[in-house]
Amino acid sequence: MNERHIIRAGQGGGRDLFEYALLRVVPRVERGECINAGVLVYCRARAYVGARTHLDEARLLALDPAADVAGVRAALRAVEGVCAGGAAAGQAAQDDAGRRFRWLIAPRSTVVQPGPVHTGLTTDPAAETERLLDLLVR
């Protein structure tokens, strides 16, 4: 184990713990092939939950030429809407950020699926969301 990754209370340097999961598009669930199409980020200390998405249509169609691109885009927009809250989030808008994140990362056997949850430290969860999108999706 590398001790530089162990953070003790008060040693975060002003950074807060965050959790994130990738959003994967699995156009043919029976084949299990996927592309990364977004990232979900949750930071309890900042009451932040956010999602950023980017669908590479050419990659999606390479996996499944008959993929419902419009349907996938709508599903990704719905995830962003739940994170944003408000009336567009429907019933989930009344839940706190943590409950919305937990609901979004629950396993599903649909075309848009969450990946495993990972953790990190950040001073700006919104900027971290964008950084992870650039690093892991685009």
Side-chain angles (χ1 to χ4, degrees):
M1 180 188 307
N2 190 341
E3 287 193 42
R4 68 185 174 92
H5 294 293
I6 298 173
I7 304 295
R8 291 173 180 79
Q11 294 181 338
R15 298 177 294 170
D16 296 310
L17 180 70
F18 73 94
E19 300 173 70
Y20 73 95
L22 288 171
L23 291 173
R24 297 176 175 160
V25 176
V26 186
R28 294 178 58 195
V29 176
E30 69 278 7
R31 291 183 58 114
E33 299 168 330
C34 66
I35 62 169
N36 294 341
V39 64
L40 293 163
V41 172
Y42 168 59
C43 181
R44 180 179 177 190
R46 308 262 178 127
Y48 173 86
V49 64
R52 292 281 289 124
T53 63
H54 171 79
L55 181 61
D56 185 332
E57 189 174 321
R59 289 183 71 201
L60 174 60
L61 293 173
L63 289 180
D64 182 3
D68 179 6
V69 176
V72 170
R73 286 191 192 282
L76 293 171
R77 277 193 309 273
V79 169
E80 289 179 322
V82 168
C83 287
Q91 190 173 16
Q94 295 154 15
D95 287 337
D96 64 34
R99 287 180 58 97
R100 283 184 279 154
F101 179 74
R102 298 285 173 239
W103 182 77
L104 289 167
I105 63 165
R108 294 172 174 76
S109 60
T110 61
V111 173
V112 176
Q113 300 178 4
V117 176
H118 306 281
T119 61
L121 294 171
T122 186
T123 57
D124 184 348
E128 194 67 38
T129 306
E130 193 66 38
R131 185 188 77 78
L132 289 169
L133 181 75
D134 288 338
L135 180 68
L136 303 172
V137 177
R138 288 189 179 141

